[in-house]
Amino acid sequence: MAPKLILTGFMASGKSAVGRAVAARLGWRLRDSDAEIVARARKPIPAIFAEDGEAHFRTLEREVIAALAADRARCPQCGNPRPAVISTGGGALADERNYLMLKRIGTIVCLSARPEIIAARVRRAPHKRPKLLEGGKPLDERIAELMEQRRAAYARADFTVDTSDLSVAESAERVLEAFARNGGSGHRCNRCA
Ligand code: S3P
């Protein structure tokens, strides 16, 4: 199996911070699908949603994930597939094609958190996350609704780590334990990452 560690999960479940911590622990590169979408579109995510629509955002997301999944580069020194931590946006796994592409390239770990924890984390800047503004509903209601819609998609991950009561370092530790249980290794030669 290509040694990719994929982090997914609901908005504000900790993917970015935990992704950085896990990548640092492994000494691997971190690829962030949202950051790559923003670079392709040359505008922030709320602007993509507002000006081009969600369907366009999802097309870009699929293209970026396909490109990440197609990365077959090998380390020129040891010959192993280049390892990476891949962090995806909270809606990525809900698309069957994304799920199948990601499943093929590594271990999928879903981060979760209780709805009230998510609400507390996003309350200061909900405008950064257009999916939470849909329908003009109260934040708690919208989070609960979207979580329910995505429950089955997130359940397909190989492992889930609930970050509600964990620090970033503790969450990263759990992710690494799950990865190791799934046969992932922290392998890298000094040129891999
Ligand atoms: C989305 C989550 C966001 C971003 C976009 C859509 C979603 O990423 O991809 O706003 O549908 O859940 P984060 O989960 O990193 O906030």
Side-chain angles (χ1 to χ4, degrees):
M1 179 195 285
K4 304 282 199 274
L5 197 170
I6 299 122
L7 280 182
T8 190
F10 202 80
M11 289 168 268
S13 56
K15 300 180 295 287
S16 302
V18 176
R20 278 192 297 274
V22 167
R25 284 275 303 273
L26 291 168
W28 290 3
R29 292 181 310 157
L30 175 65
R31 309 286 302 267
D32 180 322
S33 66
D34 277 349
E36 301 202 13
I37 291 166
V38 168
R40 274 185 190 218
R42 297 206 195 91
K43 50 180 138 174
I45 288 174
I48 305 175
F49 270 74
E51 293 163 23
D52 311 314
E54 178 171 0
H56 183 63
F57 173 82
R58 297 298 172 197
T59 300
L60 292 175
E61 184 170 58
R62 256 194 319 276
E63 287 172 4
V64 162
I65 288 175
L68 291 171
D71 174 13
R72 304 227 193 290
R74 288 182 174 266
C75 170
Q77 180 162 289
C78 69
N80 284 313
R82 264 192 322 187
V85 176
I86 297 174
S87 169
T88 76
L93 214 62
D95 183 305
E96 180 74 9
R97 286 164 285 185
N98 291 339
Y99 166 70
L100 293 173
M101 287 190 277
L102 293 168
K103 173 104 191 105
R104 195 166 44 74
I105 60 166
T107 301
I108 304 177
V109 181
C110 181
L111 301 186
S112 69
R114 294 189 294 277
E116 65 274 20
I117 302 273
I118 300 284
R121 289 178 187 168
V122 301
R123 201 171 296 280
R124 257 180 296 156
H127 54 277
K128 286 191 184 161
R129 293 181 161 102
K131 288 300 288 178
L132 295 178
L133 304 177
E134 273 176 22
K137 297 184 177 159
L139 193 55
D140 301 20
E141 194 181 312
R142 178 64 187 142
I143 289 170
E145 175 182 77
L146 197 52
M147 264 189 185
E148 190 49 42
Q149 283 170 17
R150 294 194 172 157
R151 188 177 300 282
Y154 293 145
R156 296 188 298 188
D158 297 303
F159 297 95
T160 298
V161 173
D162 184 343
T163 67
S164 301
D165 303 309
L166 300 179
S167 67
V168 170
E170 288 166 339
S171 302
E173 187 60 43
R174 302 275 171 93
V175 169
L176 289 167
E177 283 165 12
F179 186 47
R181 277 205 300 282
N182 209 36
S185 81
H187 165 80
R188 71 187 266 265
C189 77
N190 56 13
R191 284 190 63 191
C192 262

